[in-house]
Amino acid sequence: MPDTPPNGPRHVAIIMDGNGRWATLRGRPRLFGHHAGARRVREIVEACPDLGVRYLTVFAFSTENWKRTQTEVAGLMKLFRRYIEREAKALLTAGVRVRFIGDRIRLDERLVRMMDDLELMTSGNDGLHLTIAINYGGRDEVTRAAKRLAYEIEAGRLTHKDVDAETLARFLDTRFLPDPDLVIRTSGEARISNFLLWQSAYAEYEFVDTLWPDFTAAEFGRVVAGYRARDRRFGAVRA
Ligand code: IPE
Ligand code: IPE
Ligand code: MG
């Protein structure tokens, strides 16, 4: 896989939004949009190597998405299982390393088993690192990390003096990931909706109007090119 070009984003995170509206515009049920959205993921995954993107993280289901109808939630869970079933082989041969973030406790056992298997199966890959967020929420993740940290302190393996940003980050779901350089949200909404709150402290954001099922590799390439022109100062003053 080519190296990330100078000024290129190494880690891109995407809030894949707008599937429901895309379907409604066509007079179809929301799940029709989710299926179309799932097909887009492959195109974006395949575009990453040429753009020098080594880490791609996609938001598939939030901790708040349980508020949707039972039909939509069940349909999405089934879609995740189907996605894994259908894509596993192609991901493996393309050298993609797949990992999942989010709380698995509320997910059905069958899905969790498939997620574990795909992680294990691709664990030797070192091409694109694809991370899929399912039942993920930034606040939930930080809360779970704080709880585990507290447990380590209670057990005497750490003390309060060990608690700093670096230690806390080791307890996050994303412990194996660099921070995102660029966060893209489709569908015209300019909000974060609880995605990678801690990790995106210094990310660049790009909000595009395109609904996720219409988001092409060409548009992805344009957004990445736009990122390269930005001046990231991280609080400092350019020399
Ligand atoms: C994003 O599309 C996918 C998920 C949240 C699962 P939406 O389902 O939020 O689509 P809109 O925002 O209603 O159009
Ligand atoms: C964010 O989209 C979650 C995902 C894309 C998985 P939502 O559609 O759930 O976010 P809100 O409700 O518009 O904030
Ligand atoms: Mg939405």
Short mmCIF file of all heavy atoms in Angstrom, two decimals, residues 101-133:
data_model
loop_
_atom_site.label_atom_id
_atom_site.label_comp_id
_atom_site.label_asym_id
_atom_site.label_seq_id
_atom_site.Cartn_x
_atom_site.Cartn_y
_atom_site.Cartn_z
N ILE A 101 -15.60 -1.15 16.55
CA ILE A 101 -15.63 -0.41 17.81
C ILE A 101 -17.10 -0.21 18.21
O ILE A 101 -17.99 -0.28 17.36
CB ILE A 101 -14.91 0.96 17.71
CG1 ILE A 101 -15.45 1.81 16.56
CG2 ILE A 101 -13.39 0.74 17.58
CD1 ILE A 101 -14.91 3.25 16.55
N GLY A 102 -17.31 0.04 19.49
CA GLY A 102 -18.66 0.16 20.02
C GLY A 102 -18.87 -0.91 21.08
O GLY A 102 -18.04 -1.81 21.23
N ASP A 103 -19.99 -0.80 21.77
CA ASP A 103 -20.27 -1.76 22.84
C ASP A 103 -21.00 -2.97 22.26
O ASP A 103 -22.10 -2.84 21.72
CB ASP A 103 -21.12 -1.08 23.92
CG ASP A 103 -21.17 -1.90 25.20
OD1 ASP A 103 -20.66 -3.04 25.21
OD2 ASP A 103 -21.73 -1.39 26.19
N ARG A 104 -20.39 -4.13 22.38
CA ARG A 104 -20.99 -5.34 21.78
C ARG A 104 -22.07 -5.95 22.64
O ARG A 104 -22.80 -6.84 22.18
CB ARG A 104 -19.89 -6.39 21.52
CG ARG A 104 -18.90 -5.88 20.51
CD ARG A 104 -17.76 -6.84 20.27
NE ARG A 104 -16.74 -6.08 19.53
CZ ARG A 104 -15.85 -6.61 18.72
NH1 ARG A 104 -15.82 -7.91 18.53
NH2 ARG A 104 -14.99 -5.84 18.10
N ILE A 105 -22.16 -5.49 23.89
CA ILE A 105 -23.03 -6.15 24.85
C ILE A 105 -24.49 -6.19 24.39
O ILE A 105 -25.19 -7.15 24.66
CB ILE A 105 -22.88 -5.49 26.25
CG1 ILE A 105 -23.14 -6.49 27.35
CG2 ILE A 105 -23.69 -4.23 26.42
CD1 ILE A 105 -21.90 -7.15 27.84
N ARG A 106 -24.91 -5.17 23.64
CA ARG A 106 -26.32 -5.11 23.23
C ARG A 106 -26.56 -5.74 21.86
O ARG A 106 -27.69 -5.78 21.38
CB ARG A 106 -26.75 -3.64 23.21
CG ARG A 106 -28.10 -3.43 23.79
CD ARG A 106 -28.48 -1.98 23.83
NE ARG A 106 -29.90 -1.84 23.50
CZ ARG A 106 -30.54 -0.69 23.50
NH1 ARG A 106 -29.90 0.42 23.82
NH2 ARG A 106 -31.81 -0.63 23.19
N LEU A 107 -25.52 -6.21 21.22
CA LEU A 107 -25.67 -6.78 19.87
C LEU A 107 -26.00 -8.27 19.96
O LEU A 107 -25.61 -8.93 20.93
CB LEU A 107 -24.38 -6.59 19.08
CG LEU A 107 -23.93 -5.13 18.91
CD1 LEU A 107 -22.58 -5.09 18.18
CD2 LEU A 107 -24.97 -4.31 18.16
N ASP A 108 -26.69 -8.79 18.95
CA ASP A 108 -27.02 -10.21 19.05
C ASP A 108 -25.79 -11.09 18.85
O ASP A 108 -24.84 -10.73 18.17
CB ASP A 108 -28.23 -10.59 18.18
CG ASP A 108 -27.89 -10.85 16.73
OD1 ASP A 108 -27.00 -11.69 16.45
OD2 ASP A 108 -28.52 -10.24 15.87
N GLU A 109 -25.85 -12.23 19.54
CA GLU A 109 -24.70 -13.12 19.63
C GLU A 109 -24.15 -13.54 18.28
O GLU A 109 -22.95 -13.64 18.08
CB GLU A 109 -25.11 -14.40 20.37
CG GLU A 109 -24.72 -14.44 21.81
CD GLU A 109 -25.29 -15.68 22.47
OE1 GLU A 109 -24.92 -16.79 22.02
OE2 GLU A 109 -26.12 -15.53 23.39
N ARG A 110 -25.07 -13.79 17.37
CA ARG A 110 -24.67 -14.25 16.04
C ARG A 110 -23.81 -13.18 15.35
O ARG A 110 -22.77 -13.47 14.78
CB ARG A 110 -25.92 -14.52 15.20
CG ARG A 110 -25.73 -15.57 14.17
CD ARG A 110 -27.04 -16.20 13.73
NE ARG A 110 -28.21 -15.34 13.94
CZ ARG A 110 -29.10 -15.02 12.99
NH1 ARG A 110 -28.95 -15.48 11.77
NH2 ARG A 110 -30.14 -14.29 13.26
N LEU A 111 -24.27 -11.94 15.44
CA LEU A 111 -23.52 -10.84 14.83
C LEU A 111 -22.15 -10.69 15.50
O LEU A 111 -21.13 -10.55 14.82
CB LEU A 111 -24.32 -9.52 14.92
CG LEU A 111 -23.60 -8.26 14.43
CD1 LEU A 111 -23.20 -8.39 12.95
CD2 LEU A 111 -24.48 -7.01 14.62
N VAL A 112 -22.13 -10.75 16.82
CA VAL A 112 -20.86 -10.58 17.55
C VAL A 112 -19.88 -11.68 17.14
O VAL A 112 -18.68 -11.41 16.93
CB VAL A 112 -21.09 -10.57 19.08
CG1 VAL A 112 -19.77 -10.59 19.84
CG2 VAL A 112 -21.91 -9.34 19.49
N ARG A 113 -20.38 -12.88 16.99
CA ARG A 113 -19.50 -13.98 16.58
C ARG A 113 -18.91 -13.71 15.19
O ARG A 113 -17.73 -13.92 14.94
CB ARG A 113 -20.27 -15.31 16.58
CG ARG A 113 -19.39 -16.48 16.97
CD ARG A 113 -20.15 -17.80 17.13
NE ARG A 113 -21.40 -17.67 17.85
CZ ARG A 113 -22.61 -17.96 17.34
NH1 ARG A 113 -22.73 -18.42 16.11
NH2 ARG A 113 -23.71 -17.83 18.07
N MET A 114 -19.73 -13.20 14.29
CA MET A 114 -19.26 -12.90 12.93
C MET A 114 -18.24 -11.76 12.95
O MET A 114 -17.26 -11.77 12.20
CB MET A 114 -20.43 -12.53 12.03
CG MET A 114 -21.36 -13.71 11.79
SD MET A 114 -22.83 -13.23 10.88
CE MET A 114 -22.15 -13.16 9.23
N MET A 115 -18.47 -10.78 13.83
CA MET A 115 -17.52 -9.67 13.96
C MET A 115 -16.18 -10.18 14.48
O MET A 115 -15.11 -9.85 13.94
CB MET A 115 -18.09 -8.61 14.93
CG MET A 115 -19.24 -7.81 14.33
SD MET A 115 -20.35 -7.02 15.56
CE MET A 115 -19.24 -5.97 16.45
N ASP A 116 -16.24 -11.02 15.51
CA ASP A 116 -15.01 -11.61 16.08
C ASP A 116 -14.25 -12.40 15.01
O ASP A 116 -13.03 -12.30 14.89
CB ASP A 116 -15.35 -12.55 17.25
CG ASP A 116 -15.79 -11.78 18.49
OD1 ASP A 116 -15.49 -10.58 18.58
OD2 ASP A 116 -16.43 -12.40 19.36
N ASP A 117 -15.00 -13.21 14.25
CA ASP A 117 -14.37 -14.05 13.23
C ASP A 117 -13.68 -13.20 12.16
O ASP A 117 -12.56 -13.51 11.75
CB ASP A 117 -15.42 -14.95 12.54
CG ASP A 117 -15.87 -16.07 13.46
OD1 ASP A 117 -15.24 -16.27 14.51
OD2 ASP A 117 -16.87 -16.74 13.12
N LEU A 118 -14.36 -12.15 11.72
CA LEU A 118 -13.77 -11.30 10.68
C LEU A 118 -12.52 -10.59 11.20
O LEU A 118 -11.52 -10.46 10.49
CB LEU A 118 -14.81 -10.29 10.17
CG LEU A 118 -14.38 -9.43 8.98
CD1 LEU A 118 -14.02 -10.29 7.77
CD2 LEU A 118 -15.47 -8.43 8.59
N GLU A 119 -12.58 -10.15 12.45
CA GLU A 119 -11.40 -9.51 13.05
C GLU A 119 -10.22 -10.48 13.08
O GLU A 119 -9.10 -10.13 12.72
CB GLU A 119 -11.71 -9.06 14.48
CG GLU A 119 -12.53 -7.79 14.54
CD GLU A 119 -12.66 -7.21 15.95
OE1 GLU A 119 -12.48 -7.97 16.93
OE2 GLU A 119 -12.95 -6.02 16.06
N LEU A 120 -10.52 -11.69 13.51
CA LEU A 120 -9.46 -12.70 13.62
C LEU A 120 -8.91 -13.08 12.24
O LEU A 120 -7.70 -13.15 12.02
CB LEU A 120 -10.03 -13.93 14.33
CG LEU A 120 -9.01 -14.99 14.73
CD1 LEU A 120 -8.06 -14.43 15.78
CD2 LEU A 120 -9.71 -16.24 15.27
N MET A 121 -9.85 -13.29 11.31
CA MET A 121 -9.49 -13.71 9.97
C MET A 121 -8.58 -12.69 9.27
O MET A 121 -7.69 -13.05 8.52
CB MET A 121 -10.80 -13.85 9.19
CG MET A 121 -10.74 -14.60 7.92
SD MET A 121 -12.46 -14.89 7.41
CE MET A 121 -12.57 -13.76 6.07
N THR A 122 -8.81 -11.41 9.52
CA THR A 122 -8.05 -10.36 8.83
C THR A 122 -6.92 -9.80 9.71
O THR A 122 -6.27 -8.83 9.33
CB THR A 122 -8.96 -9.20 8.38
OG1 THR A 122 -9.56 -8.59 9.53
CG2 THR A 122 -10.05 -9.67 7.42
N SER A 123 -6.69 -10.43 10.86
CA SER A 123 -5.74 -9.84 11.83
C SER A 123 -4.30 -9.82 11.31
O SER A 123 -3.47 -9.07 11.80
CB SER A 123 -5.83 -10.56 13.17
OG SER A 123 -5.51 -11.92 12.98
N GLY A 124 -4.01 -10.66 10.31
CA GLY A 124 -2.66 -10.67 9.76
C GLY A 124 -2.46 -9.67 8.63
O GLY A 124 -1.36 -9.51 8.11
N ASN A 125 -3.53 -9.00 8.23
CA ASN A 125 -3.45 -8.04 7.12
C ASN A 125 -2.88 -6.70 7.57
O ASN A 125 -3.11 -6.27 8.69
CB ASN A 125 -4.85 -7.80 6.52
CG ASN A 125 -5.29 -8.94 5.62
OD1 ASN A 125 -4.48 -9.80 5.27
ND2 ASN A 125 -6.55 -8.95 5.25
N ASP A 126 -2.18 -6.05 6.65
CA ASP A 126 -1.64 -4.74 6.99
C ASP A 126 -1.82 -3.75 5.84
O ASP A 126 -1.01 -2.88 5.62
CB ASP A 126 -0.16 -4.87 7.38
CG ASP A 126 0.34 -3.59 8.04
OD1 ASP A 126 -0.48 -2.89 8.68
OD2 ASP A 126 1.54 -3.27 7.90
N GLY A 127 -2.91 -3.96 5.08
CA GLY A 127 -3.25 -2.96 4.06
C GLY A 127 -4.08 -1.88 4.73
O GLY A 127 -3.70 -1.38 5.79
N LEU A 128 -5.22 -1.57 4.15
CA LEU A 128 -6.12 -0.60 4.77
C LEU A 128 -6.61 -1.14 6.12
O LEU A 128 -6.97 -2.31 6.24
CB LEU A 128 -7.32 -0.35 3.86
CG LEU A 128 -8.39 0.57 4.43
CD1 LEU A 128 -7.89 2.01 4.51
CD2 LEU A 128 -9.68 0.49 3.61
N HIS A 129 -6.63 -0.28 7.13
CA HIS A 129 -7.21 -0.65 8.42
C HIS A 129 -8.64 -0.08 8.43
O HIS A 129 -8.83 1.12 8.55
CB HIS A 129 -6.40 -0.08 9.57
CG HIS A 129 -5.08 -0.78 9.74
ND1 HIS A 129 -4.70 -1.38 10.92
CD2 HIS A 129 -4.06 -0.99 8.87
CE1 HIS A 129 -3.51 -1.93 10.75
NE2 HIS A 129 -3.10 -1.70 9.52
N LEU A 130 -9.62 -0.97 8.26
CA LEU A 130 -11.02 -0.56 8.23
C LEU A 130 -11.65 -0.81 9.59
O LEU A 130 -11.64 -1.93 10.09
CB LEU A 130 -11.77 -1.36 7.16
CG LEU A 130 -13.30 -1.19 7.12
CD1 LEU A 130 -13.69 0.24 6.74
CD2 LEU A 130 -13.92 -2.19 6.15
N THR A 131 -12.18 0.24 10.19
CA THR A 131 -12.84 0.10 11.49
C THR A 131 -14.31 0.46 11.33
O THR A 131 -14.64 1.51 10.77
CB THR A 131 -12.17 1.01 12.54
OG1 THR A 131 -10.78 0.68 12.60
CG2 THR A 131 -12.79 0.83 13.91
N ILE A 132 -15.17 -0.43 11.78
CA ILE A 132 -16.61 -0.23 11.63
C ILE A 132 -17.22 0.01 13.02
O ILE A 132 -17.03 -0.81 13.93
CB ILE A 132 -17.27 -1.44 10.94
CG1 ILE A 132 -16.56 -1.72 9.58
CG2 ILE A 132 -18.76 -1.23 10.74
CD1 ILE A 132 -17.01 -2.99 8.87
N ALA A 133 -17.91 1.13 13.16
CA ALA A 133 -18.50 1.48 14.46
C ALA A 133 -19.95 1.03 14.52
O ALA A 133 -20.80 1.52 13.78
CB ALA A 133 -18.40 2.99 14.67
#
